[in-house]
Amino acid sequence: MTSKYSIIAFASLIFLLFSLLTATGIGSVSLSFGQVFDSLLVCSGDVNSCSVDPIYQKIIWEIRLPRIFMAFLTGVGLSITGAVLQSVTRNPLADPYLFGISSGAAFGAVLAISTFSVGMVSVTFGALMGGLFSVILMLVLAGNAALHVERLLLSGVAVSFMLGAFTSLVIYYSEPETASTLLFWLMGSFANSQWGNLALPTVCIVAGLIIFVIYRHWIDAIQAGDEGAFTLGVPVSKLRLVMLVICSMITAVLVAQVGGIGFVGLMIPHICRYMVGSQLHKVLFMCVTIGGSFMLWVDVLARSLIAEQVLPVGIVTSAIGSLFFFIILKTRRRAAI
Amino acid sequence: MRVIIYYCSVLVFLFSQVSFAEQASSKEPVQRIIALAPHSVEILFSIGAGDRIIATTDYADYPQAALNIPRVGSHNGIQIERVVELKPDLIIVWESGNKLVDIQKLKSLGFNIFYTRPNKISHISDEIRRLGELTGLQQRARKIIDQLETKHHQIKNKYKSKSKVKTFYQLWHKPLTSVGPDSWVESLLNDCHAENIFHNASSSYPVVSIESVLVKNPQVIIIPHHSGDKEIVSETKTDIWQKWSEISAVKNDQIYVLNGDLLHRFTPRALDGLQKLCEDIDKAR
């Protein structure tokens, strides 16, 4: 079994590297593997002594790479939070959206964009506050019921709708230009990614991953049932709460940078579990490779599906994602028979 | 102010394949007009029918007198009940500016409806003529059409034999939006003998990437600025290009911020905008 996992993990890692290289080559100018390779490894940093045209070099380093890394981080971040949330709630539908974290972060960010005009810091801050606010609101609304997974989920759904309504209200009352900016932003985009924006998501995701891996046995225990975990000495409610907060942090930071991108957090963990079983560390590793690659390809499609135009990433994620998910469900059912 | 409307018109276009063929007609000159498009308000004032407008939308801000007209609509929609209450004998609707459901509702209520859909400067003449007929002010209308057409021909003739200039029109920066085929702005660019670099886009108002602008290497970048914009002198709109000195427009300092209120209004004033646009584009030749 271990060997099967190793093979799948290794293959997915190779696929991720392949995706990174290919995605770097695709765009308004198509660059060959060789050119991408040259630009990335042979003459990185030194623009002048390079076989690649300086303008391509600049396109790769200033536009595509920040964008690609942002896509990768988003895929990874949303997938791992989805995986952990699904495990600690034992609910296959759990993801940052279901808990209202995304809605909260979007509400905070939308409020920041519409009231404080420009400045990425305030958007990130707004999204963080919004995300945390949604978690607090959910816990307060759930009260003692937060101890029960179902009630926790239901209050999450309620909070999600409530904050979604607030977001719509803000959009309704904003100036037409701001409204169009907000609407496009809500559909998700990597277009404005810059190197500087990558730091915070990277730190949050790496920190989150480390914590998830450290506590993986406890999370696995919860996955098997609250009572069982409790007898093993796992502080069930506390752990669930801490995981919720960490997940909301990661989601909020990502939403602040790229807007609303749905479905990844729900779907990728299921695909990963289907491939390698339900042990958290394996699922997390697959989330990094598969989630990251998935988002890279979504971004490639968003950039190249319609000639001369850029589609919002969120549209592509949900459209492609749901189709892909149907296929998986179908083949899985057939396999089960 | 009108950027969102242009942007939304992409969506509207998608759903407006239903033809609104029946144009308004009236035996008597119309007296109670609700004009739901700012440019129609301006045209009505120019032909001397401004005092017959009984209601309009939030954006009608020219001429000054238009500011006193009661408002029955904004970008969020039209207050249908107010419209009914005002008993208009003509309603001017704008397919790419008003909501389709509102237009359909007004139509189903049996109002006399005039559809305005200007797409190039010659359409403005048609609209002035039609509104002149409906209001019984044909002579004033004829005079204005003559002035407009003379000026339009002068501008076109001045540039038609000059070389084509590759132009990027930055309609909006967040998200980066340009103009495509069959758009009003592209017809203006054609009049200046400029080449729209996104002529082959699949929609009239495409969202584009910096990378594709870079590859097309425009000689001029035009950025419309609107009086309603929050950001003063649109520094954020021009800043995105500063690090791309590979673009010849950036290298040669050919980035122009123009008055969008003039350029995006389908009225005789658009010719002032057109003149300035052509002059700036000409500097890059």
Side-chain angles (χ1 to χ4, degrees):
Chain A
M1 212 52 203
T2 320
S3 67
K4 188 193 163 197
Y5 164 67
S6 315
I7 293 167
I8 294 177
F10 184 71
S12 71
L13 195 65
I14 298 292
F15 180 65
L16 174 66
L17 290 174
F18 166 76
S19 306
L20 280 168
L21 276 178
T22 321
T24 313
I26 299 175
S28 301
V29 207
S30 294
L31 301 172
S32 67
F33 257 131
Q35 282 171 306
V36 171
F37 193 78
D38 273 0
S39 171
L40 292 184
L41 301 171
V42 181
C43 45
S44 54
D46 189 9
V47 178
N48 297 322
S49 61
C50 183
S51 64
V52 185
D53 190 328
I55 188 158
Y56 295 161
Q57 176 86 356
K58 209 169 164 188
I59 287 178
I60 288 181
W61 283 91
E62 305 254 331
I63 296 181
R64 289 194 191 164
L65 285 181
R67 197 181 164 128
I68 281 166
F69 279 116
M70 188 57 92
F72 172 71
L73 283 174
T74 308
V76 171
L78 294 177
S79 308
I80 59 170
T81 49
V84 168
L85 288 175
Q86 285 164 12
S87 293
V88 295
T89 60
R90 290 191 304 278
N91 187 308
L93 287 176
D95 81 333
Y97 272 78
L98 192 75
F99 276 100
I101 303 172
S102 297
S103 318
F107 173 58
V110 161
L111 209 60
I113 294 175
S114 65
T115 45
F116 304 108
S117 76
V118 228
M120 206 56 206
V121 179
S122 69
V123 179
T124 312
F125 186 72
L128 264 178
M129 289 296 106
L132 284 177
F133 174 67
S134 71
V135 171
I136 292 168
L137 195 63
M138 180 178 85
L139 293 172
V140 170
L141 284 179
N144 280 339
L147 298 174
H148 302 277
V149 175
E150 297 78 20
R151 294 185 186 174
L152 194 68
L153 282 168
L154 286 176
S155 14
V157 173
V159 167
S160 173
F161 275 102
M162 187 196 290
L163 295 176
F166 289 161
T167 306
S168 305
L169 193 72
V170 172
I171 293 175
Y172 184 82
Y173 277 109
S174 16
E175 289 283 308
E177 305 92 344
T178 320
S180 88
T181 304
L182 291 178
L183 281 175
F184 194 82
W185 183 85
L186 281 176
M187 291 191 272
S189 168
F190 299 124
N192 293 325
S193 310
Q194 278 158 18
W195 286 112
N197 299 343
L198 295 172
L200 192 57
T202 312
V203 171
C204 287
I205 288 169
V206 170
L209 260 179
I210 292 171
I211 296 170
F212 295 156
V213 170
I214 291 174
Y215 288 102
R216 66 181 190 277
H217 297 303
W218 284 10
I219 297 172
D220 280 338
I222 290 185
Q223 204 171 350
D226 276 8
E227 277 155 29
F230 201 73
T231 48
L232 288 175
V234 179
V236 177
S237 303
K238 234 181 244 172
L239 184 71
R240 194 174 283 145
L241 185 68
V242 170
M243 289 305 151
L244 211 56
V245 172
I246 295 172
C247 289
S248 69
M249 288 275 288
I250 295 176
T251 310
V253 167
L254 287 172
V255 169
Q257 304 291 348
V258 301
I261 295 172
F263 218 73
V264 185
L266 175 65
M267 181 188 64
I268 298 292
H270 284 294
I271 293 174
C272 297
R273 243 176 251 123
Y274 174 56
M275 292 166 92
V276 297
S278 59
Q279 277 178 296
L280 190 71
H281 63 283
K282 293 182 184 174
V283 174
L284 286 178
F285 181 83
M286 294 303 287
C287 278
V288 172
T289 53
I290 300 287
S293 317
F294 175 76
M295 216 59 225
L296 285 174
W297 286 106
V298 163
D299 182 45
V300 166
L301 282 176
R303 284 185 284 151
S304 52
L305 216 50
I306 304 178
E308 320 252 19
Q309 284 186 56
V310 187
L311 273 176
V313 177
I315 294 179
V316 184
T317 331
S318 302
I320 308 272
S322 46
L323 202 69
F324 195 37
F325 204 45
F326 275 130
I327 295 169
I328 292 241
L329 282 178
K330 198 121 188 169
T331 50
R332 195 173 170 182
R333 204 189 306 151
R334 229 175 265 145
I337 297 165
Chain B
M1 276 305 282
R2 247 61 55 189
V3 170
I4 176 73
I5 296 172
Y6 287 107
Y7 190 61
C8 287
S9 65
V10 178
L11 281 177
V12 176
F13 272 133
L14 286 177
F15 297 107
S16 64
Q17 298 308 317
V18 201
S19 145
F20 297 98
E22 303 160 48
Q23 274 287 24
S25 62
S26 180
K27 282 173 195 147
E28 299 288 308
V30 292
Q31 299 297 338
R32 296 177 63 77
I33 306 170
I34 293 184
L36 298 172
H39 59 267
S40 303
V41 170
E42 210 175 311
I43 287 175
L44 286 171
F45 268 99
S46 72
I47 61 173
D51 54 348
R52 299 189 203 172
I53 307 173
I54 50 170
T56 182
T57 65
D58 278 356
Y59 312 109
D61 55 1
Y62 192 92
Q64 197 79 38
L67 293 169
N68 302 323
I69 304 169
R71 314 276 142 158
V72 291
S74 67
H75 67 274
N76 285 322
I78 296 161
Q79 302 165 36
I80 305 282
E81 292 183 16
R82 285 281 314 280
V83 172
V84 175
E85 194 187 348
L86 288 166
K87 297 198 186 80
D89 52 15
L90 179 71
I91 301 178
I92 301 173
V93 300
W94 179 22
E95 281 166 29
S96 40
N98 301 133
K99 285 186 175 174
L100 192 67
V101 279
D102 288 343
I103 297 179
Q104 280 169 338
K105 186 74 197 165
L106 291 173
K107 197 181 170 200
S108 71
L109 288 168
F111 283 110
N112 192 21
I113 293 180
F114 179 84
Y115 298 97
T116 168
R117 43 166 96 84
N119 225 0
K120 47 184 156 197
I121 288 199
S122 60
H123 291 174
I124 299 178
S125 309
D126 298 342
E127 295 218 8
I128 298 176
R129 201 191 67 249
R130 290 280 297 129
L131 288 175
E133 284 163 12
L134 286 166
T135 51
L137 298 163
Q138 289 95 330
Q139 282 194 332
R140 272 292 283 281
R142 188 68 247 164
K143 223 175 107 187
I144 289 163
I145 293 169
D146 287 344
Q147 284 170 356
L148 181 129
E149 287 181 345
T150 318
K151 196 169 174 191
H152 188 209
H153 283 132
Q154 274 172 0
I155 296 174
K156 277 208 301 198
N157 287 336
K158 189 170 172 190
Y159 299 103
K160 75 175 177 198
S161 52
K162 297 200 175 181
S163 60
K164 284 241 175 197
V165 180
K166 280 203 286 182
T167 307
F168 171 60
Y169 196 90
Q170 182 182 319
L171 189 61
W172 192 242
H173 59 300
K174 267 189 310 185
L176 191 63
T177 310
S178 187
V179 294
D182 303 321
S183 61
W184 162 263
V185 175
E186 197 184 80
S187 84
L188 296 183
L189 292 176
N190 289 338
D191 287 345
C192 297
H193 214 67
E195 179 194 335
N196 175 18
I197 58 168
F198 287 106
H199 174 67
N200 292 322
S202 47
S203 75
S204 299
Y205 301 97
V207 173
V208 300
S209 64
I210 291 187
E211 193 179 313
S212 56
V213 177
L214 216 66
V215 173
K216 290 171 185 295
N217 194 17
Q219 293 161 272
V220 183
I221 296 176
I222 302 284
I223 303 171
H225 177 67
H226 299 269
S227 53
D229 283 4
K230 269 191 215 158
E231 295 139 18
I232 312 153
V233 193
S234 52
E235 272 177 14
T236 47
K237 294 180 181 177
T238 47
D239 275 359
I240 44 178
W241 302 112
Q242 289 322 315
K243 67 176 176 186
W244 295 105
S245 53
E246 289 81 1
I247 301 177
S248 53
V250 180
K251 190 169 61 195
N252 303 326
D253 208 14
Q254 299 292 330
I255 302 179
Y256 298 101
V257 178
L258 294 183
N259 183 345
D261 291 345
L262 283 184
L263 282 168
H264 300 159
R265 257 305 148 90
F266 319 113
T267 68
R269 273 201 301 159
L271 286 175
D272 300 336
L274 178 67
Q275 190 165 8
K276 183 77 178 57
L277 177 73
C278 293
E279 281 167 9
D280 284 340
I281 288 173
D282 197 40
K283 287 179 197 158
R285 284 197 172 99

